[in-house]
Amino acid sequence: MADLPSVEAYLEGKSPDGIALFRRFEEMVHRCGPSEPAPRSSVVYSKRNRVFAGAFVEGRRLELNVDLVRDVQHADLIAAFNTTKRVITHRIRVTEADQLDDSLEALVVEAYEDVGPGFRGR
């Protein structure tokens, strides 16, 4: 996965529908507090000290990675798997803007607060 210079470089050539969903998710991440995007060729990660979420456009839909320290169920969950001993990555598929709702935002906030700071010294 190659680093890209910007989110705009990642979104170049993507479908307008996918970009619109990505931008709504990006707003959700910004509401959590300070973080920075880490754009790669295939995904844009959101991180504080540690990556806590990621988003990638697949055609007209958006695929999300939300890292949590617990396993959760969500209506749009397509997979969940351990990425470390402590962190479970939850893959969520978004095809419509209304799926970017309060329940998903609560998971992103949880990821931001629990995983984003990292675990060193905790």
Side-chain angles (χ1 to χ4, degrees):
M1 256 186 301
D3 290 355
L4 293 178
S6 67
V7 171
E8 286 68 30
Y10 168 77
L11 292 174
E12 190 173 313
K14 304 282 194 262
S15 82
D17 291 338
I19 291 172
L21 293 172
F22 179 91
R23 292 298 190 192
R24 296 239 352 221
F25 180 72
E26 187 177 50
E27 291 170 11
M28 187 180 287
V29 168
H30 288 307
R31 285 193 295 272
C32 293
S35 66
E36 64 182 71
R40 306 291 189 266
S41 59
S42 61
V43 63
V44 176
Y45 292 112
S46 298
K47 65 184 224 172
R48 291 177 67 189
N49 293 330
R50 183 193 186 288
V51 168
F52 62 92
F56 59 97
V57 176
E58 275 293 314
R60 296 180 1 194
R61 69 178 186 260
L62 185 67
E63 302 275 337
L64 305 175
N65 298 327
V66 180
D67 291 348
L68 300 167
V69 294
R70 65 185 181 98
D71 194 17
V72 299
Q73 295 300 312
H74 188 274
D76 303 313
L77 184 71
I78 56 174
F81 48 90
N82 282 83
T83 48
T84 71
K85 287 182 183 179
R86 296 176 91 169
V87 176
I88 301 168
T89 296
H90 296 76
R91 285 281 307 277
I92 296 169
R93 179 170 292 145
V94 177
T95 57
E96 301 291 332
D98 63 354
Q99 292 172 271
L100 295 163
D101 61 7
D102 292 344
S103 68
L104 180 58
E105 187 159 4
L107 295 179
V108 175
V109 168
E110 182 178 334
Y112 177 87
E113 292 175 351
D114 293 348
V115 177
F119 299 108
R120 296 192 195 279
R122 292 199 307 169

